[in-house]
Coordinates of all heavy atoms in Angstrom, one line a residue:
S1192 N -40.7 10.3 -60.6 CA -40.7 9.6 -61.9 C -41.0 10.6 -63.1 O -40.4 10.5 -64.1 CB -41.9 8.5 -61.9 OG -41.5 7.5 -60.9
W1193 N -42.0 11.4 -62.9 CA -42.3 12.5 -63.9 C -43.1 13.6 -63.3 O -43.7 13.4 -62.2 CB -43.0 11.8 -65.1 CG -44.6 11.6 -64.9 CD1 -45.5 12.5 -65.3 CD2 -45.1 10.4 -64.5 NE1 -46.8 11.9 -65.0 CE2 -46.6 10.6 -64.6 CE3 -44.7 9.1 -64.0 CZ2 -47.4 9.7 -64.2 CZ3 -45.6 8.1 -63.6 CH2 -47.1 8.5 -63.8
V1194 N -43.1 14.7 -63.9 CA -43.9 15.8 -63.5 C -44.6 16.4 -64.7 O -44.2 16.1 -65.9 CB -43.1 17.1 -63.0 CG1 -42.1 16.6 -61.8 CG2 -42.1 17.5 -64.1
E1195 N -45.8 16.9 -64.5 CA -46.6 17.4 -65.6 C -47.4 18.6 -65.2 O -47.7 18.9 -64.1 CB -47.6 16.3 -66.1 CG -48.5 15.7 -65.1 CD -49.3 14.6 -65.5 OE1 -49.4 14.3 -66.8 OE2 -49.8 13.7 -64.7
A1196 N -47.8 19.4 -66.3 CA -48.6 20.6 -65.9 C -49.2 21.1 -67.3 O -48.7 20.7 -68.4 CB -47.7 21.8 -65.4
L1197 N -50.3 21.8 -67.1 CA -50.9 22.5 -68.3 C -50.1 23.7 -68.6 O -50.1 24.6 -67.8 CB -52.4 22.8 -68.1 CG -53.3 21.5 -68.0 CD1 -54.8 22.0 -67.6 CD2 -53.4 20.9 -69.4
R1198 N -49.4 23.7 -69.7 CA -48.5 24.9 -70.1 C -49.0 25.4 -71.4 O -49.4 24.7 -72.4 CB -47.1 24.4 -70.1 CG -46.1 25.4 -70.4 CD -44.7 24.9 -70.2 NE -43.6 25.9 -70.6 CZ -42.3 25.7 -70.6 NH1 -41.8 24.7 -70.0 NH2 -41.5 26.8 -70.9
F1199 N -48.8 26.7 -71.6 CA -49.3 27.3 -72.8 C -48.2 27.0 -73.9 O -47.2 27.0 -73.9 CB -49.2 28.9 -72.7 CG -49.8 29.6 -73.8 CD1 -51.2 29.8 -73.9 CD2 -48.9 30.1 -74.9 CE1 -51.8 30.5 -75.1 CE2 -49.5 30.7 -76.0 CZ -50.9 30.9 -76.0
N1200 N -48.9 26.4 -75.0 CA -48.1 26.1 -76.2 C -48.4 27.2 -77.3 O -49.4 27.5 -77.7 CB -48.6 24.8 -76.8 CG -47.9 24.2 -78.0 OD1 -47.9 24.8 -79.1 ND2 -47.2 23.1 -77.7
Q1201 N -47.2 27.7 -77.7 CA -47.2 28.9 -78.6 C -47.8 28.4 -79.9 O -48.5 29.2 -80.6 CB -45.8 29.5 -78.9 CG -45.2 30.0 -77.5 CD -45.7 31.3 -77.2 OE1 -46.3 32.0 -77.8 NE2 -45.5 31.6 -75.8
D1202 N -47.4 27.2 -80.5 CA -48.0 26.9 -81.7 C -49.5 26.5 -81.8 O -50.1 27.0 -82.8 CB -47.1 25.5 -82.3 CG -45.7 25.8 -82.4 OD1 -45.3 26.9 -82.7 OD2 -44.9 24.8 -82.2
L1203 N -50.0 26.0 -80.7 CA -51.3 25.7 -80.7 C -52.2 26.8 -80.1 O -53.5 26.8 -80.2 CB -51.6 24.4 -80.0 CG -51.0 23.2 -80.5 CD1 -51.3 22.0 -79.6 CD2 -51.6 22.9 -82.0
N1204 N -51.4 27.8 -79.5 CA -52.1 28.9 -78.8 C -53.2 28.6 -77.8 O -54.2 29.1 -77.6 CB -52.8 29.7 -79.8 CG -53.1 31.2 -79.4 OD1 -52.4 31.7 -78.5 ND2 -54.3 31.8 -79.7
K1205 N -52.8 27.5 -77.0 CA -53.6 27.0 -75.9 C -52.9 26.3 -74.9 O -51.7 26.0 -75.2 CB -54.9 26.2 -76.4 CG -54.4 24.9 -77.1 CD -55.6 24.1 -77.5 CE -55.2 22.7 -78.0 NZ -56.4 21.9 -78.5
L1206 N -53.5 26.0 -73.8 CA -52.8 25.1 -72.8 C -52.9 23.7 -73.3 O -53.8 23.1 -73.7 CB -53.6 25.3 -71.4 CG -53.5 26.6 -70.7 CD1 -54.4 26.6 -69.5 CD2 -52.1 27.1 -70.4
V1207 N -51.6 23.0 -73.1 CA -51.5 21.7 -73.4 C -50.6 21.0 -72.3 O -49.8 21.7 -71.6 CB -50.7 21.6 -74.8 CG1 -50.4 20.1 -75.1 CG2 -51.4 22.3 -75.9
N1208 N -50.9 19.7 -72.2 CA -50.2 19.0 -71.0 C -48.7 18.9 -71.5 O -48.4 18.4 -72.5 CB -50.8 17.6 -70.8 CG -50.3 17.0 -69.5 OD1 -50.6 17.5 -68.5 ND2 -49.7 15.9 -69.7
W1209 N -48.0 19.3 -70.5 CA -46.5 19.3 -70.7 C -45.9 18.3 -69.7 O -46.3 18.3 -68.5 CB -46.0 20.8 -70.4 CG -44.6 21.0 -70.5 CD1 -43.8 21.3 -71.8 CD2 -43.6 21.2 -69.5 NE1 -42.3 21.5 -71.4 CE2 -42.3 21.5 -70.1 CE3 -43.7 21.1 -68.0 CZ2 -41.2 21.7 -69.2 CZ3 -42.6 21.3 -67.3 CH2 -41.4 21.6 -67.9
R1210 N -44.9 17.6 -70.1 CA -44.4 16.4 -69.3 C -43.0 16.3 -69.2 O -42.3 16.4 -70.3 CB -45.2 15.1 -69.8 CG -44.9 13.9 -69.0 CD -45.5 12.6 -69.7 NE -45.2 11.4 -69.1 CZ -46.0 10.7 -68.5 NH1 -47.2 11.1 -68.2 NH2 -45.6 9.6 -68.0
V1211 N -42.4 16.1 -68.1 CA -41.0 15.8 -67.9 C -40.8 14.4 -67.3 O -41.2 14.2 -66.1 CB -40.3 16.9 -67.1 CG1 -38.7 16.6 -67.0 CG2 -40.5 18.2 -67.7
E1212 N -40.2 13.5 -68.1 CA -39.9 12.2 -67.5 C -38.4 12.2 -67.1 O -37.6 12.6 -67.8 CB -40.2 11.1 -68.5 CG -41.7 11.1 -68.9 CD -41.9 9.9 -69.9 OE1 -41.4 8.9 -69.6 OE2 -42.8 10.1 -70.7
L1213 N -38.4 11.4 -66.0 CA -36.9 11.4 -65.3 C -36.5 10.1 -65.3 O -37.1 9.1 -64.7 CB -37.0 12.1 -63.9 CG -37.5 13.5 -63.8 CD1 -38.0 13.9 -62.5 CD2 -36.4 14.4 -64.3
D1214 N -35.3 9.7 -65.8 CA -34.8 8.4 -66.0 C -34.4 7.8 -64.6 O -33.5 8.4 -63.9 CB -33.6 8.4 -66.8 CG -32.9 7.0 -67.1 OD1 -33.5 6.1 -66.6 OD2 -32.0 6.9 -67.9
P1215 N -35.1 6.9 -64.1 CA -34.8 6.3 -62.7 C -33.4 5.7 -62.6 O -32.8 5.7 -61.6 CB -35.8 5.2 -62.6 CG -36.2 4.8 -64.0 CD -36.0 6.0 -64.8
S1216 N -32.7 5.3 -63.7 CA -31.4 4.8 -63.6 C -30.3 6.0 -63.6 O -29.1 5.6 -63.6 CB -31.1 3.9 -64.7 OG -31.1 4.5 -66.0
S1217 N -30.8 7.2 -63.8 CA -29.7 8.4 -63.9 C -29.6 9.1 -62.7 O -28.7 10.0 -62.7 CB -30.3 9.3 -65.0 OG -31.4 10.1 -64.5
W1218 N -30.1 8.6 -61.6 CA -29.9 9.4 -60.3 C -28.5 9.2 -59.9 O -28.0 8.0 -59.7 CB -31.0 8.8 -59.2 CG -32.4 9.3 -59.5 CD1 -33.1 9.0 -60.6 CD2 -33.1 10.2 -58.7 NE1 -34.4 9.6 -60.5 CE2 -34.4 10.4 -59.3 CE3 -32.9 10.8 -57.5 CZ2 -35.5 11.2 -58.9 CZ3 -34.0 11.6 -57.0 CH2 -35.2 11.8 -57.7
K1219 N -27.9 10.3 -59.4 CA -26.7 10.4 -59.0 C -26.4 11.4 -57.8 O -27.3 12.3 -57.7 CB -25.6 10.8 -60.1 CG -25.5 9.8 -61.3 CD -24.6 10.3 -62.3 CE -24.6 9.4 -63.5 NZ -23.6 9.9 -64.6
E1220 N -25.4 11.3 -57.0 CA -25.1 12.3 -56.1 C -24.2 13.4 -56.6 O -23.2 13.0 -57.1 CB -24.4 11.6 -54.8 CG -24.2 12.5 -53.7 CD -23.5 11.9 -52.5 OE1 -24.1 11.0 -52.0 OE2 -22.6 12.4 -52.1
I1221 N -24.7 14.5 -56.7 CA -24.0 15.7 -57.1 C -24.2 16.8 -56.1 O -25.3 17.1 -55.5 CB -24.6 16.2 -58.5 CG1 -24.5 15.2 -59.6 CG2 -24.0 17.5 -58.9 CD1 -24.9 15.6 -61.0
N1222 N -23.1 17.3 -55.8 CA -22.9 18.4 -54.6 C -23.6 17.9 -53.4 O -24.2 18.7 -52.6 CB -23.6 19.6 -55.1 CG -22.9 20.3 -56.2 OD1 -21.7 20.2 -56.3 ND2 -23.6 21.0 -57.2
G1223 N -23.5 16.5 -53.1 CA -24.1 16.0 -51.9 C -25.5 15.7 -51.9 O -26.0 15.3 -50.9
V1224 N -26.2 15.9 -53.0 CA -27.5 15.7 -53.2 C -27.8 14.6 -54.3 O -27.3 14.7 -55.3 CB -28.3 17.0 -53.4 CG1 -29.7 16.8 -53.4 CG2 -28.0 18.0 -52.4
Y1225 N -28.8 13.8 -54.0 CA -29.2 12.6 -54.9 C -30.3 13.2 -55.8 O -31.5 13.4 -55.4 CB -29.6 11.5 -54.0 CG -29.8 10.1 -54.7 CD1 -28.7 9.6 -55.5 CD2 -30.9 9.4 -54.6 CE1 -28.8 8.5 -56.2 CE2 -31.0 8.2 -55.3 CZ -30.1 7.7 -56.0 OH -30.2 6.5 -56.8
I1226 N -30.0 13.4 -57.1 CA -30.8 13.9 -58.1 C -30.8 13.2 -59.5 O -29.9 12.4 -59.7 CB -30.5 15.4 -58.4 CG1 -29.1 15.4 -59.0 CG2 -30.6 16.3 -57.1 CD1 -28.7 16.8 -59.5
P1227 N -32.0 13.3 -60.2 CA -32.0 12.6 -61.5 C -31.1 13.5 -62.5 O -31.1 14.8 -62.4 CB -33.3 12.8 -61.9 CG -34.0 13.9 -61.2 CD -33.2 13.9 -59.8
T1228 N -30.3 12.8 -63.3 CA -29.5 13.6 -64.2 C -29.8 13.5 -65.6 O -29.1 14.0 -66.5 CB -28.0 13.1 -64.1 OG1 -27.9 11.8 -64.4 CG2 -27.5 13.3 -62.7
H1229 N -30.9 12.8 -66.0 CA -31.4 12.6 -67.3 C -32.8 12.9 -67.4 O -33.6 12.2 -66.6 CB -31.1 11.4 -68.1 CG -31.4 11.3 -69.4 ND1 -30.7 11.8 -70.5 CD2 -32.6 10.7 -70.1 CE1 -31.4 11.6 -71.6 NE2 -32.6 11.0 -71.4
A1230 N -33.3 13.8 -68.3 CA -34.8 14.1 -68.4 C -35.2 14.2 -69.9 O -34.3 14.5 -70.7 CB -35.1 15.4 -67.6
S1231 N -36.4 13.8 -70.2 CA -37.1 13.9 -71.5 C -38.3 14.8 -71.3 O -39.1 14.6 -70.4 CB -37.4 12.6 -72.0 OG -36.2 11.7 -72.2
V1232 N -38.5 15.8 -72.2 CA -39.5 16.8 -72.2 C -40.4 16.5 -73.4 O -39.9 16.6 -74.5 CB -39.0 18.2 -72.1 CG1 -40.2 19.1 -71.8 CG2 -38.0 18.3 -71.0
S1233 N -41.7 16.5 -73.2 CA -42.7 16.2 -74.2 C -44.0 17.1 -74.1 O -44.2 17.5 -73.0 CB -43.1 14.8 -74.2 OG -42.1 13.8 -74.2
W1234 N -44.6 17.2 -75.1 CA -46.0 17.8 -75.2 C -47.0 16.7 -75.5 O -46.5 15.9 -76.4 CB -46.0 18.8 -76.3 CG -45.4 20.2 -76.1 CD1 -44.2 20.5 -76.7 CD2 -45.7 21.3 -75.2 NE1 -43.7 21.8 -76.2 CE2 -44.7 22.4 -75.3 CE3 -46.9 21.6 -74.5 CZ2 -44.8 23.5 -74.7 CZ3 -46.9 22.6 -73.8 CH2 -45.9 23.7 -74.0
D1235 N -48.0 16.6 -74.9 CA -49.0 15.7 -75.2 C -49.9 16.3 -76.3 O -51.0 17.0 -75.9 CB -49.8 15.3 -74.0 CG -49.0 14.5 -73.1 OD1 -48.1 13.8 -73.6 OD2 -49.4 14.3 -71.8
L1236 N -49.6 16.2 -77.6 CA -50.4 16.8 -78.7 C -51.6 15.9 -79.0 O -51.6 14.7 -78.7 CB -49.5 17.0 -79.8 CG -48.2 17.9 -79.6 CD1 -47.4 17.9 -80.8 CD2 -48.6 19.2 -79.1
P1237 N -52.5 16.5 -79.7 CA -53.7 15.7 -80.2 C -53.3 14.5 -81.0 O -54.0 13.5 -80.8 CB -54.4 16.8 -81.0 CG -54.2 18.0 -80.6 CD -52.7 17.9 -80.1
E1238 N -52.3 14.6 -81.8 CA -51.9 13.4 -82.5 C -50.9 12.5 -81.7 O -50.5 11.5 -82.4 CB -51.2 13.9 -83.8 CG -49.9 14.7 -83.7 CD -50.2 16.2 -83.6 OE1 -51.2 16.5 -83.1 OE2 -49.2 17.0 -83.8
G1239 N -50.5 12.7 -80.6 CA -49.7 11.9 -79.8 C -48.6 12.6 -79.1 O -48.3 13.8 -79.5
P1240 N -47.9 12.0 -78.3 CA -46.7 12.7 -77.5 C -45.7 13.1 -78.5 O -45.2 12.5 -79.4 CB -46.2 11.6 -76.6 CG -47.4 10.6 -76.4 CD -48.0 10.7 -77.8
F1241 N -45.1 14.3 -78.3 CA -44.0 14.9 -79.0 C -42.9 15.1 -78.0 O -42.9 16.1 -77.4 CB -44.5 16.2 -79.8 CG -43.5 16.9 -80.5 CD1 -42.4 16.2 -81.1 CD2 -43.3 18.3 -80.3 CE1 -41.3 17.0 -81.8 CE2 -42.3 19.0 -80.9 CZ -41.2 18.4 -81.5

Side-chain angles (χ1 to χ4, degrees):
S1192 297
W1193 78 91
V1194 301
E1195 59 184 342
L1197 288 174
R1198 182 172 177 176
F1199 187 82
N1200 184 291
Q1201 300 285 341
D1202 294 331
L1203 299 179
N1204 197 34
K1205 66 177 184 179
L1206 294 176
V1207 177
N1208 195 60
W1209 179 82
R1210 179 182 175 108
V1211 181
E1212 296 191 38
L1213 303 161
D1214 183 354
S1216 66
S1217 73
W1218 287 63
K1219 298 178 183 177
E1220 184 176 303
I1221 295 181
N1222 296 326
V1224 182
Y1225 193 50
I1226 62 172
T1228 60
H1229 181 80
S1231 300
V1232 185
S1233 306
W1234 291 102
D1235 290 335
L1236 301 179
E1238 62 271 26
F1241 169 44

